[in-house]
Each structure stands twice: as C-alpha cells, then as structure tokens.
Short mmCIF file of all heavy atoms in Angstrom, two decimals:
data_model
loop_
_atom_site.label_atom_id
_atom_site.label_comp_id
_atom_site.label_asym_id
_atom_site.label_seq_id
_atom_site.Cartn_x
_atom_site.Cartn_y
_atom_site.Cartn_z
N MET A 1 149.68 219.95 51.34
CA MET A 1 149.09 218.97 52.27
C MET A 1 148.97 219.59 53.66
O MET A 1 149.91 220.19 54.16
CB MET A 1 149.97 217.71 52.30
CG MET A 1 149.43 216.59 53.16
SD MET A 1 147.79 215.98 52.73
CE MET A 1 148.17 215.11 51.21
N ARG A 2 147.81 219.44 54.24
CA ARG A 2 147.56 220.02 55.56
C ARG A 2 147.46 218.90 56.60
O ARG A 2 146.84 217.88 56.37
CB ARG A 2 146.24 220.81 55.50
CG ARG A 2 145.99 221.66 56.71
CD ARG A 2 144.72 222.47 56.52
NE ARG A 2 144.94 223.66 55.68
CZ ARG A 2 145.20 224.87 56.18
NH1 ARG A 2 145.24 225.07 57.46
NH2 ARG A 2 145.40 225.89 55.38
N CYS A 3 148.07 219.11 57.73
CA CYS A 3 148.05 218.11 58.80
C CYS A 3 146.64 217.96 59.36
O CYS A 3 146.01 218.96 59.73
CB CYS A 3 149.02 218.53 59.90
SG CYS A 3 148.95 217.46 61.35
N PRO A 4 146.11 216.73 59.42
CA PRO A 4 144.75 216.51 59.94
C PRO A 4 144.67 216.70 61.45
O PRO A 4 143.59 216.80 62.02
CB PRO A 4 144.44 215.06 59.55
CG PRO A 4 145.76 214.41 59.43
CD PRO A 4 146.74 215.47 59.00
N SER A 5 145.83 216.72 62.09
CA SER A 5 145.86 216.82 63.55
C SER A 5 145.91 218.26 64.04
O SER A 5 145.12 218.66 64.89
CB SER A 5 147.06 216.03 64.08
OG SER A 5 147.08 216.06 65.48
N CYS A 6 146.84 219.04 63.48
CA CYS A 6 147.01 220.41 63.98
C CYS A 6 146.73 221.46 62.91
O CYS A 6 146.71 222.64 63.19
CB CYS A 6 148.41 220.59 64.56
SG CYS A 6 149.73 220.55 63.33
N GLY A 7 146.53 221.01 61.65
CA GLY A 7 146.19 221.95 60.60
C GLY A 7 147.38 222.69 60.00
O GLY A 7 147.21 223.55 59.15
N SER A 8 148.58 222.32 60.40
CA SER A 8 149.77 222.96 59.87
C SER A 8 150.03 222.51 58.44
O SER A 8 149.78 221.36 58.07
CB SER A 8 150.97 222.62 60.75
OG SER A 8 152.17 223.01 60.12
N VAL A 9 150.54 223.42 57.61
CA VAL A 9 150.86 223.05 56.24
C VAL A 9 152.35 222.71 56.11
O VAL A 9 152.85 222.42 55.04
CB VAL A 9 150.51 224.19 55.23
CG1 VAL A 9 149.00 224.31 55.09
CG2 VAL A 9 151.13 225.50 55.67
N ASN A 10 153.02 222.73 57.23
CA ASN A 10 154.46 222.44 57.25
C ASN A 10 154.68 220.92 57.32
O ASN A 10 155.14 220.38 58.32
CB ASN A 10 155.09 223.14 58.45
CG ASN A 10 156.61 223.16 58.35
OD1 ASN A 10 157.18 222.88 57.30
ND2 ASN A 10 157.27 223.48 59.45
N CYS A 11 154.33 220.23 56.22
CA CYS A 11 154.45 218.78 56.17
C CYS A 11 155.37 218.37 55.03
O CYS A 11 155.46 219.07 54.03
CB CYS A 11 153.08 218.14 55.95
SG CYS A 11 151.85 218.61 57.18
N HIS A 12 156.00 217.24 55.20
CA HIS A 12 156.84 216.72 54.12
C HIS A 12 156.57 215.24 53.93
O HIS A 12 156.18 214.54 54.86
CB HIS A 12 158.31 217.00 54.39
CG HIS A 12 158.80 216.48 55.71
ND1 HIS A 12 158.69 217.20 56.88
CD2 HIS A 12 159.39 215.31 56.03
CE1 HIS A 12 159.20 216.48 57.86
NE2 HIS A 12 159.63 215.33 57.39
N ILE A 13 156.81 214.78 52.69
CA ILE A 13 156.51 213.39 52.36
C ILE A 13 157.72 212.50 52.66
O ILE A 13 158.86 212.91 52.46
CB ILE A 13 156.05 213.26 50.88
CG1 ILE A 13 155.35 211.93 50.66
CG2 ILE A 13 157.21 213.47 49.91
CD1 ILE A 13 154.44 211.95 49.43
N VAL A 14 157.44 211.31 53.16
CA VAL A 14 158.49 210.36 53.53
C VAL A 14 158.20 209.03 52.87
O VAL A 14 157.05 208.58 52.85
CB VAL A 14 158.56 210.19 55.07
CG1 VAL A 14 159.55 209.08 55.45
CG2 VAL A 14 158.94 211.49 55.73
N GLU A 15 159.23 208.41 52.35
CA GLU A 15 159.05 207.09 51.75
C GLU A 15 159.67 206.04 52.66
O GLU A 15 160.77 206.20 53.16
CB GLU A 15 159.74 207.03 50.37
CG GLU A 15 158.80 207.44 49.26
CD GLU A 15 159.34 207.05 47.89
OE1 GLU A 15 160.51 206.64 47.79
OE2 GLU A 15 158.58 207.16 46.93
N GLU A 16 158.91 204.98 52.87
CA GLU A 16 159.38 203.92 53.75
C GLU A 16 159.30 202.59 53.01
O GLU A 16 158.33 202.30 52.33
CB GLU A 16 158.48 203.87 54.99
CG GLU A 16 159.05 203.01 56.10
CD GLU A 16 158.15 203.02 57.32
OE1 GLU A 16 157.06 202.46 57.24
OE2 GLU A 16 158.54 203.61 58.34
N VAL A 17 160.35 201.80 53.15
CA VAL A 17 160.35 200.49 52.51
C VAL A 17 159.99 199.43 53.54
O VAL A 17 160.60 199.33 54.60
CB VAL A 17 161.73 200.18 51.89
CG1 VAL A 17 161.73 198.79 51.26
CG2 VAL A 17 162.09 201.22 50.85
N GLU A 18 158.96 198.67 53.22
CA GLU A 18 158.47 197.65 54.13
C GLU A 18 158.71 196.28 53.51
O GLU A 18 158.46 196.06 52.34
CB GLU A 18 156.96 197.87 54.33
CG GLU A 18 156.39 197.06 55.46
CD GLU A 18 154.90 197.28 55.57
OE1 GLU A 18 154.18 196.77 54.71
OE2 GLU A 18 154.46 197.97 56.50
N SER A 19 159.22 195.37 54.31
CA SER A 19 159.47 194.03 53.77
C SER A 19 158.51 193.02 54.40
O SER A 19 158.29 193.01 55.60
CB SER A 19 160.91 193.62 54.03
OG SER A 19 161.21 193.68 55.40
N ARG A 20 157.91 192.21 53.56
CA ARG A 20 157.01 191.15 54.02
C ARG A 20 157.66 189.82 53.66
O ARG A 20 157.52 189.33 52.57
CB ARG A 20 155.66 191.26 53.31
CG ARG A 20 154.94 192.54 53.61
CD ARG A 20 153.75 192.65 52.67
NE ARG A 20 153.15 193.97 52.71
CZ ARG A 20 152.21 194.33 53.56
NH1 ARG A 20 151.77 193.48 54.45
NH2 ARG A 20 151.73 195.55 53.54
N GLN A 21 158.39 189.26 54.57
CA GLN A 21 159.09 188.01 54.24
C GLN A 21 159.19 187.11 55.47
O GLN A 21 160.19 186.48 55.71
CB GLN A 21 160.47 188.33 53.69
CG GLN A 21 161.24 189.35 54.53
CD GLN A 21 162.58 189.66 53.92
OE1 GLN A 21 163.38 188.78 53.71
NE2 GLN A 21 162.82 190.92 53.63
N LYS A 22 158.12 187.05 56.26
CA LYS A 22 158.13 186.21 57.44
C LYS A 22 158.25 184.73 57.06
O LYS A 22 157.33 184.15 56.50
CB LYS A 22 156.84 186.43 58.24
CG LYS A 22 157.02 187.46 59.33
CD LYS A 22 155.80 187.50 60.23
CE LYS A 22 155.95 188.60 61.27
NZ LYS A 22 154.71 188.78 62.02
N GLY A 23 159.41 184.15 57.33
CA GLY A 23 159.61 182.74 57.06
C GLY A 23 159.80 182.41 55.59
O GLY A 23 160.02 181.27 55.25
N PHE A 24 159.71 183.42 54.77
CA PHE A 24 159.79 183.19 53.33
C PHE A 24 161.19 182.72 52.94
O PHE A 24 161.34 181.74 52.23
CB PHE A 24 159.43 184.47 52.58
CG PHE A 24 159.39 184.29 51.09
CD1 PHE A 24 158.42 183.51 50.49
CD2 PHE A 24 160.33 184.91 50.29
CE1 PHE A 24 158.38 183.34 49.12
CE2 PHE A 24 160.30 184.75 48.92
CZ PHE A 24 159.32 183.96 48.32
N GLY A 25 162.20 183.41 53.44
CA GLY A 25 163.58 183.06 53.12
C GLY A 25 163.93 181.68 53.66
O GLY A 25 164.60 180.89 52.99
N PHE A 26 163.42 181.38 54.84
CA PHE A 26 163.68 180.08 55.46
C PHE A 26 163.06 178.97 54.62
O PHE A 26 163.68 177.95 54.35
CB PHE A 26 163.10 180.06 56.87
CG PHE A 26 163.36 178.78 57.61
CD1 PHE A 26 164.63 178.50 58.11
CD2 PHE A 26 162.36 177.85 57.79
CE1 PHE A 26 164.89 177.32 58.78
CE2 PHE A 26 162.60 176.66 58.46
CZ PHE A 26 163.87 176.40 58.96
N PHE A 27 161.84 179.19 54.19
CA PHE A 27 161.12 178.21 53.36
C PHE A 27 161.86 177.99 52.05
O PHE A 27 162.08 176.86 51.63
CB PHE A 27 159.71 178.70 53.10
CG PHE A 27 158.90 177.77 52.24
CD1 PHE A 27 158.46 176.55 52.75
CD2 PHE A 27 158.60 178.10 50.93
CE1 PHE A 27 157.73 175.68 51.96
CE2 PHE A 27 157.86 177.24 50.13
CZ PHE A 27 157.44 176.02 50.65
N LYS A 28 162.27 179.09 51.43
CA LYS A 28 163.02 179.02 50.18
C LYS A 28 164.32 178.26 50.39
O LYS A 28 164.74 177.46 49.57
CB LYS A 28 163.34 180.43 49.68
CG LYS A 28 162.56 180.80 48.44
CD LYS A 28 162.87 182.23 48.05
CE LYS A 28 163.62 182.29 46.74
NZ LYS A 28 163.89 183.67 46.34
N GLY A 29 164.96 178.52 51.53
CA GLY A 29 166.20 177.84 51.85
C GLY A 29 166.00 176.34 51.97
O GLY A 29 166.81 175.55 51.49
N CYS A 30 164.89 175.94 52.59
CA CYS A 30 164.57 174.52 52.73
C CYS A 30 164.41 173.86 51.36
O CYS A 30 164.93 172.78 51.11
CB CYS A 30 163.29 174.34 53.54
SG CYS A 30 163.53 174.65 55.28
N CYS A 31 163.69 174.53 50.48
CA CYS A 31 163.48 173.99 49.12
C CYS A 31 164.82 173.85 48.42
O CYS A 31 165.10 172.83 47.79
CB CYS A 31 162.57 174.93 48.31
SG CYS A 31 160.87 174.88 48.88
N GLY A 32 165.65 174.88 48.54
CA GLY A 32 166.96 174.85 47.89
C GLY A 32 167.81 173.73 48.45
O GLY A 32 168.54 173.06 47.71
N TYR A 33 167.69 173.49 49.75
CA TYR A 33 168.48 172.45 50.41
C TYR A 33 168.08 171.08 49.88
O TYR A 33 168.92 170.22 49.61
CB TYR A 33 168.27 172.52 51.92
CG TYR A 33 169.18 171.58 52.68
CD1 TYR A 33 170.51 171.93 52.91
CD2 TYR A 33 168.71 170.37 53.15
CE1 TYR A 33 171.34 171.07 53.59
CE2 TYR A 33 169.54 169.50 53.84
CZ TYR A 33 170.86 169.86 54.06
OH TYR A 33 171.68 169.01 54.74
N LEU A 34 166.78 170.87 49.70
CA LEU A 34 166.27 169.58 49.22
C LEU A 34 166.75 169.29 47.79
O LEU A 34 167.03 168.15 47.44
CB LEU A 34 164.74 169.57 49.25
CG LEU A 34 164.13 169.46 50.65
CD1 LEU A 34 162.62 169.63 50.58
CD2 LEU A 34 164.49 168.14 51.31
N ILE A 35 166.85 170.36 47.01
CA ILE A 35 167.20 170.18 45.59
C ILE A 35 168.72 170.18 45.39
O ILE A 35 169.27 169.32 44.71
CB ILE A 35 166.53 171.28 44.74
CG1 ILE A 35 165.01 171.16 44.85
CG2 ILE A 35 166.96 171.15 43.27
CD1 ILE A 35 164.27 172.43 44.47
N LEU A 36 169.38 171.15 46.02
CA LEU A 36 170.80 171.35 45.71
C LEU A 36 171.74 171.11 46.90
O LEU A 36 172.95 171.21 46.75
CB LEU A 36 171.03 172.79 45.21
CG LEU A 36 170.28 173.18 43.93
CD1 LEU A 36 170.30 174.69 43.76
CD2 LEU A 36 170.92 172.53 42.70
N GLY A 37 171.19 170.81 48.07
CA GLY A 37 172.05 170.63 49.23
C GLY A 37 172.41 171.96 49.86
O GLY A 37 171.70 172.94 49.68
N PRO A 38 173.50 171.99 50.61
CA PRO A 38 173.89 173.19 51.37
C PRO A 38 174.03 174.43 50.51
O PRO A 38 173.75 175.53 50.97
CB PRO A 38 175.26 172.80 51.96
CG PRO A 38 175.28 171.32 51.98
CD PRO A 38 174.44 170.87 50.80
N ILE A 39 174.45 174.27 49.26
CA ILE A 39 174.60 175.44 48.38
C ILE A 39 173.23 176.03 48.07
O ILE A 39 173.04 177.24 48.06
CB ILE A 39 175.35 175.06 47.09
CG1 ILE A 39 176.77 174.59 47.43
CG2 ILE A 39 175.43 176.26 46.13
CD1 ILE A 39 177.40 173.70 46.38
N GLY A 40 172.27 175.15 47.86
CA GLY A 40 170.90 175.60 47.58
C GLY A 40 170.31 176.32 48.78
O GLY A 40 169.59 177.31 48.64
N TRP A 41 170.65 175.83 49.96
CA TRP A 41 170.19 176.47 51.21
C TRP A 41 170.69 177.90 51.28
O TRP A 41 169.95 178.84 51.54
CB TRP A 41 170.71 175.64 52.39
CG TRP A 41 170.49 176.26 53.72
CD1 TRP A 41 171.29 177.17 54.34
CD2 TRP A 41 169.41 176.03 54.60
NE1 TRP A 41 170.77 177.52 55.55
CE2 TRP A 41 169.61 176.84 55.74
CE3 TRP A 41 168.27 175.22 54.54
CZ2 TRP A 41 168.73 176.85 56.81
CZ3 TRP A 41 167.40 175.25 55.62
CH2 TRP A 41 167.62 176.04 56.73
N LEU A 42 171.98 178.06 50.98
CA LEU A 42 172.59 179.39 51.00
C LEU A 42 171.94 180.30 49.97
O LEU A 42 171.63 181.45 50.25
CB LEU A 42 174.09 179.27 50.70
CG LEU A 42 175.01 179.22 51.92
CD1 LEU A 42 176.45 179.02 51.46
CD2 LEU A 42 174.91 180.49 52.73
N CYS A 43 171.74 179.76 48.78
CA CYS A 43 171.12 180.55 47.70
C CYS A 43 169.72 181.01 48.11
O CYS A 43 169.33 182.14 47.86
CB CYS A 43 171.04 179.73 46.41
SG CYS A 43 172.64 179.50 45.63
N GLY A 44 168.99 180.09 48.75
CA GLY A 44 167.64 180.42 49.19
C GLY A 44 167.64 181.54 50.21
O GLY A 44 166.83 182.45 50.15
N LEU A 45 168.59 181.49 51.13
CA LEU A 45 168.67 182.52 52.16
C LEU A 45 169.11 183.85 51.56
O LEU A 45 168.64 184.91 51.95
CB LEU A 45 169.64 182.09 53.26
CG LEU A 45 169.17 180.93 54.14
CD1 LEU A 45 170.22 180.62 55.19
CD2 LEU A 45 167.83 181.24 54.82
N LEU A 46 170.04 183.78 50.60
CA LEU A 46 170.53 185.00 49.97
C LEU A 46 169.44 185.64 49.11
O LEU A 46 169.46 186.83 48.87
CB LEU A 46 171.77 184.70 49.11
CG LEU A 46 173.04 184.39 49.90
CD1 LEU A 46 174.15 183.94 48.96
CD2 LEU A 46 173.51 185.59 50.71
N GLY A 47 168.52 184.79 48.65
CA GLY A 47 167.43 185.28 47.81
C GLY A 47 166.36 186.02 48.61
O GLY A 47 165.42 186.54 48.05
N MET A 48 166.51 186.06 49.92
CA MET A 48 165.55 186.75 50.78
C MET A 48 165.46 188.22 50.40
O MET A 48 166.45 188.86 50.10
CB MET A 48 166.00 186.68 52.25
CG MET A 48 165.59 185.39 52.93
SD MET A 48 166.34 185.30 54.56
CE MET A 48 165.35 186.50 55.44
N GLY A 49 164.27 188.73 50.43
CA GLY A 49 164.10 190.16 50.23
C GLY A 49 163.88 190.54 48.78
O GLY A 49 163.46 191.65 48.50
N SER A 50 164.13 189.62 47.86
CA SER A 50 163.93 189.97 46.46
C SER A 50 162.45 189.87 46.10
O SER A 50 161.84 188.81 46.23
CB SER A 50 164.76 189.07 45.56
OG SER A 50 164.46 187.73 45.83
N GLY A 51 161.88 190.96 45.69
CA GLY A 51 160.50 190.97 45.25
C GLY A 51 159.49 191.00 46.38
O GLY A 51 158.30 190.92 46.14
N THR A 52 159.95 191.13 47.60
CA THR A 52 159.01 191.13 48.72
C THR A 52 159.00 192.50 49.42
O THR A 52 158.45 192.63 50.49
CB THR A 52 159.36 190.04 49.75
OG1 THR A 52 160.73 190.15 50.09
CG2 THR A 52 159.10 188.66 49.18
N MET A 53 159.63 193.48 48.80
CA MET A 53 159.65 194.79 49.40
C MET A 53 158.54 195.67 48.84
O MET A 53 158.31 195.70 47.64
CB MET A 53 161.01 195.48 49.12
CG MET A 53 162.21 194.61 49.49
SD MET A 53 162.46 194.49 51.25
CE MET A 53 163.60 195.85 51.49
N THR A 54 157.86 196.35 49.72
CA THR A 54 156.83 197.28 49.27
C THR A 54 157.18 198.68 49.76
O THR A 54 157.60 198.86 50.89
CB THR A 54 155.44 196.89 49.80
OG1 THR A 54 155.57 196.37 51.11
CG2 THR A 54 154.78 195.87 48.91
N LYS A 55 157.00 199.63 48.86
CA LYS A 55 157.30 201.01 49.21
C LYS A 55 156.04 201.72 49.66
O LYS A 55 155.00 201.61 49.01
CB LYS A 55 157.91 201.74 48.00
CG LYS A 55 159.38 201.99 48.13
CD LYS A 55 159.84 202.93 47.03
CE LYS A 55 161.34 203.19 47.14
NZ LYS A 55 161.79 204.09 46.08
N LYS A 56 156.16 202.41 50.77
CA LYS A 56 155.02 203.17 51.28
C LYS A 56 155.41 204.64 51.36
O LYS A 56 156.52 204.96 51.73
CB LYS A 56 154.64 202.69 52.68
CG LYS A 56 153.75 201.49 52.69
CD LYS A 56 153.11 201.30 54.07
CE LYS A 56 154.11 201.36 55.19
NZ LYS A 56 153.52 201.04 56.49
N ALA A 57 154.49 205.48 51.03
CA ALA A 57 154.74 206.90 51.15
C ALA A 57 153.71 207.51 52.10
O ALA A 57 152.53 207.17 52.02
CB ALA A 57 154.68 207.58 49.79
N PHE A 58 154.16 208.34 53.00
CA PHE A 58 153.22 209.02 53.88
C PHE A 58 153.77 210.40 54.24
O PHE A 58 154.94 210.69 54.03
CB PHE A 58 152.94 208.20 55.14
CG PHE A 58 154.18 207.76 55.88
CD1 PHE A 58 154.79 208.60 56.80
CD2 PHE A 58 154.71 206.50 55.66
CE1 PHE A 58 155.92 208.20 57.48
CE2 PHE A 58 155.85 206.10 56.34
CZ PHE A 58 156.46 206.95 57.24
N TRP A 59 152.92 211.22 54.78
CA TRP A 59 153.30 212.57 55.15
C TRP A 59 153.65 212.64 56.63
O TRP A 59 153.05 211.94 57.44
CB TRP A 59 152.15 213.52 54.85
CG TRP A 59 151.93 213.71 53.38
CD1 TRP A 59 151.20 212.90 52.57
CD2 TRP A 59 152.43 214.75 52.54
NE1 TRP A 59 151.23 213.37 51.28
CE2 TRP A 59 151.97 214.50 51.23
CE3 TRP A 59 153.23 215.87 52.78
CZ2 TRP A 59 152.29 215.35 50.17
CZ3 TRP A 59 153.53 216.70 51.72
CH2 TRP A 59 153.07 216.44 50.43
N VAL A 60 154.61 213.47 56.94
CA VAL A 60 154.96 213.71 58.33
C VAL A 60 154.83 215.20 58.60
O VAL A 60 155.37 216.02 57.86
CB VAL A 60 156.41 213.25 58.64
CG1 VAL A 60 156.78 213.57 60.07
CG2 VAL A 60 156.55 211.75 58.39
N CYS A 61 154.11 215.52 59.63
CA CYS A 61 153.93 216.92 60.00
C CYS A 61 155.15 217.39 60.80
O CYS A 61 155.54 216.76 61.77
CB CYS A 61 152.66 217.06 60.84
SG CYS A 61 152.45 218.72 61.50
N SER A 62 155.75 218.47 60.34
CA SER A 62 156.92 219.00 61.03
C SER A 62 156.54 219.72 62.32
O SER A 62 157.36 219.95 63.19
CB SER A 62 157.67 219.98 60.12
OG SER A 62 158.04 219.35 58.94
N HIS A 63 155.26 220.05 62.41
CA HIS A 63 154.80 220.82 63.56
C HIS A 63 154.52 219.93 64.77
O HIS A 63 155.01 220.17 65.86
CB HIS A 63 153.55 221.61 63.17
CG HIS A 63 153.09 222.56 64.23
ND1 HIS A 63 153.77 223.73 64.51
CD2 HIS A 63 152.04 222.51 65.08
CE1 HIS A 63 153.14 224.34 65.49
NE2 HIS A 63 152.09 223.63 65.86
N CYS A 64 153.72 218.85 64.53
CA CYS A 64 153.36 217.98 65.66
C CYS A 64 153.93 216.58 65.52
O CYS A 64 153.82 215.77 66.44
CB CYS A 64 151.84 217.92 65.81
SG CYS A 64 151.00 217.07 64.45
N GLY A 65 154.53 216.27 64.37
CA GLY A 65 155.18 214.98 64.19
C GLY A 65 154.24 213.86 63.81
O GLY A 65 154.64 212.70 63.74
N ARG A 66 152.99 214.17 63.54
CA ARG A 66 152.01 213.15 63.18
C ARG A 66 152.26 212.62 61.76
O ARG A 66 152.57 213.38 60.86
CB ARG A 66 150.60 213.72 63.28
CG ARG A 66 149.58 212.66 62.94
CD ARG A 66 148.18 213.20 63.03
NE ARG A 66 147.27 212.28 62.37
CZ ARG A 66 146.06 212.00 62.81
NH1 ARG A 66 145.61 212.58 63.88
NH2 ARG A 66 145.30 211.16 62.16
N LYS A 67 152.12 211.30 61.62
CA LYS A 67 152.23 210.69 60.30
C LYS A 67 150.84 210.41 59.76
O LYS A 67 149.98 209.94 60.49
CB LYS A 67 152.99 209.35 60.40
CG LYS A 67 154.45 209.50 60.73
CD LYS A 67 155.06 208.12 60.90
CE LYS A 67 156.52 208.21 61.30
NZ LYS A 67 157.09 206.87 61.50
N PHE A 68 150.64 210.66 58.50
CA PHE A 68 149.35 210.34 57.90
C PHE A 68 149.53 209.97 56.44
O PHE A 68 150.49 210.36 55.79
CB PHE A 68 148.35 211.48 58.06
CG PHE A 68 148.87 212.83 57.61
CD1 PHE A 68 148.55 213.32 56.36
CD2 PHE A 68 149.67 213.58 58.44
CE1 PHE A 68 149.02 214.55 55.94
CE2 PHE A 68 150.16 214.82 58.03
CZ PHE A 68 149.84 215.30 56.78
N ARG A 69 148.59 209.20 55.95
CA ARG A 69 148.64 208.70 54.58
C ARG A 69 148.28 209.79 53.58
O ARG A 69 147.55 210.72 53.91
CB ARG A 69 147.68 207.52 54.40
CG ARG A 69 148.14 206.26 55.08
CD ARG A 69 149.50 205.86 54.52
NE ARG A 69 149.86 204.51 54.96
CZ ARG A 69 149.50 203.41 54.32
NH1 ARG A 69 148.75 203.50 53.26
NH2 ARG A 69 149.88 202.24 54.76
N VAL A 70 148.77 209.61 52.36
CA VAL A 70 148.48 210.56 51.29
C VAL A 70 147.00 210.47 50.92
O VAL A 70 146.49 209.37 50.76
CB VAL A 70 149.34 210.25 50.05
CG1 VAL A 70 149.07 211.27 48.96
CG2 VAL A 70 150.80 210.24 50.43
ZN1 ZN B 1 150.53 218.54 62.71
#
C-alpha cells in the first residue's frame, strides 16, 4: 500500500472499533423499565453496545501520519 499523500510505502493497517449507539441504550432502558421496572432499566443499560459496534480498517502512513481507507 502506497500513501496517497507522500507516496511512502511505509504504511501499516489499523483496525478501529466504532460504536453507533446514540440514545440507543437509554431507549432500551426505558422499554425495560416499563416492562420490568428498575431491574429492566438496568438490563437495558447493560445491554448497551451489543450488536452496535462496527469495525473499520484503514491505513496509517508511518512517514507523514496520514490515514486513508483501504
Ligand atoms: Zn505519507
């Protein structure tokens, strides 16, 4: 892989985990609270992050530090 910015081949791949859960855990907690009470609320909050994580891989140039997609 060659860096599009400086042309260096000294690049390495990096994996980053991204979570998309804006308000999701809170919403789940509310549903749990309505059904099960305080225990359901806790379960809903603890359930945050499950199945909402996406893995991204990109290259980082060791020469200039630029990140770019595969
Ligand atoms: Zn570079």
Side-chain angles (χ1 to χ4, degrees):
M1 183 59 72
R2 190 176 281 265
C3 174
S5 182
C6 69
S8 169
V9 289
N10 193 14
C11 304
H12 55 274
I13 197 159
V14 173
E15 270 195 349
E16 192 178 69
V17 178
E18 192 182 73
S19 56
R20 297 170 191 273
Q21 48 182 303
K22 265 188 184 172
F24 184 67
F26 182 75
F27 179 71
K28 250 177 113 178
C30 286
C31 288
Y33 187 80
L34 287 173
I35 297 160
L36 299 165
I39 297 157
W41 172 275
L42 264 177
C43 288
L45 290 181
L46 288 173
M48 277 172 73
S50 55
T52 51
M53 308 286 268
T54 37
K55 253 190 180 180
K56 276 196 311 186
F58 52 85
W59 290 84
V60 177
C61 174
S62 303
H63 187 73
C64 67
R66 182 180 165 141
K67 291 176 183 178
F68 51 98
R69 288 301 191 87
V70 182

